[in-house]
Amino acid sequence: MEKFSITDKTEITRLPKRGVYDKETVYSILDEAMFCTLAYVRDGQPFQIPTGFCRIDNKLYIHGSVGSFYMRELAEKKLPVCISVTFMDGLVLARSAFHHSVNYRSVVVFSEATKVEDQGELYTVLEVFTNKLQPGRWDDVRKPDAGEWKATMVLSFDIQEASAKVRTGGPKDDDDDYNLDIWAGVVPLKIERKEPIPDDVLKPGIAFPDYLK
């Protein structure tokens, strides 16, 4: 199983048994996540930006307006960034307050931005991004025109350094607490797609797409 190299930035030192470095796990968490948080420092001031993203091979991509100050700055100055995603899979309720926890899957990536200039790559990124949000959508919509392409900036980030951290299972209490008359267990959490709601001004006669059923 191919793994990311463990570095000073990616090594899990707190509860190291939860650290995961294999690419398959890291990629699977990134692919499931709709949004990430991108953090960087400018002139000593930290910033973090929540944004949508997609992954193609060993690169992450974000897109936005060519007028985006932070995107231009990341590309021009090659500022180091930290990109993270997290899933909360369950509330872990222990018998003691101290041992309450959560089941989670998280990934942290360290990289720097490169502006995507190749038109073929730009097209592929926006197709993958659109279909990540809603599989099948790209083939059903009007594609960007020349003006919209010109107004769009895409940045890529090589996944240079990355690690995942994962917790699963039930609560871990002190031995003496297992005899307490207190309920303990896990409250599962999940993100769920609901029934789609048609636009109020949807043209009459438009069929409900199969990919939304």
Side-chain angles (χ1 to χ4, degrees):
M1 184 178 296
E2 191 174 3
K3 296 185 177 183
F4 288 102
S5 298
I6 300 174
T7 71
D8 291 342
K9 294 197 289 288
T10 62
E11 184 177 10
I12 306 299
T13 57
R14 171 63 179 160
L15 298 174
K17 65 181 180 180
R18 297 183 185 176
V20 183
Y21 304 93
D22 69 86
K23 292 188 176 183
E24 181 179 355
T25 299
V26 170
Y27 289 163
S28 68
I29 296 171
L30 291 171
D31 291 346
E32 186 177 346
M34 296 288 192
F35 297 93
C36 67
T37 298
L38 186 154
Y40 68 102
V41 176
R42 175 171 61 89
D43 298 331
Q45 171 64 52
F47 293 87
Q48 60 177 14
I49 310 294
T51 184
F53 77 103
C54 67
R55 180 188 68 86
I56 301 176
D57 298 327
N58 198 51
K59 290 184 178 181
L60 301 182
Y61 293 88
I62 66 171
H63 80 286
S65 168
V66 294
S68 170
F69 175 78
Y70 93 90
M71 291 183 67
R72 294 200 315 269
E73 188 168 54
L74 290 181
E76 293 168 3
K77 296 184 178 180
K78 297 295 183 182
L79 298 176
V81 302
C82 179
I83 300 172
S84 63
V85 304
T86 302
F87 285 100
M88 303 291 286
D89 294 324
L91 306 177
V92 181
L93 308 182
R95 293 160 184 80
S96 70
F98 181 79
H99 288 300
H100 277 60
S101 187
V102 294
N103 285 338
Y104 62 90
R105 291 165 291 143
S106 64
V107 167
V108 174
V109 174
F110 296 93
S111 188
E112 62 183 31
T114 298
K115 184 179 178 181
V116 177
E117 304 282 5
D118 179 77
Q119 293 299 312
E121 187 177 4
L122 286 170
Y123 191 94
T124 298
V125 168
L126 293 185
E127 179 179 1
V128 171
F129 180 87
T130 302
N131 283 333
K132 179 180 181 179
L133 293 180
Q134 177 54 61
R137 187 64 173 170
W138 183 255
D139 290 337
D140 196 30
V141 296
R142 177 182 68 79
K143 306 306 183 288
D145 59 29
E148 291 167 336
W149 282 113
K150 188 176 180 179
T152 302
M153 179 187 295
V154 173
L155 299 181
S156 71
F157 301 85
D158 279 320
I159 306 178
Q160 300 166 354
E161 300 175 85
S163 61
K165 195 173 183 182
V166 177
R167 187 202 191 278
T168 61
K172 307 296 183 184
D173 274 299
D174 295 336
D175 290 342
D176 291 343
D177 288 338
Y178 282 102
N179 289 323
L180 295 175
D181 296 327
I182 300 171
W183 187 92
V186 176
V187 179
L189 302 174
K190 69 175 181 177
I191 298 173
E192 182 179 8
R193 290 180 184 262
K194 298 292 188 178
E195 184 72 21
I197 302 172
D199 185 5
D200 291 339
V201 293
L202 185 67
K203 183 180 177 180
I206 299 296
F208 194 72
D210 287 340
Y211 56 78
L212 289 178
K213 293 179 181 178

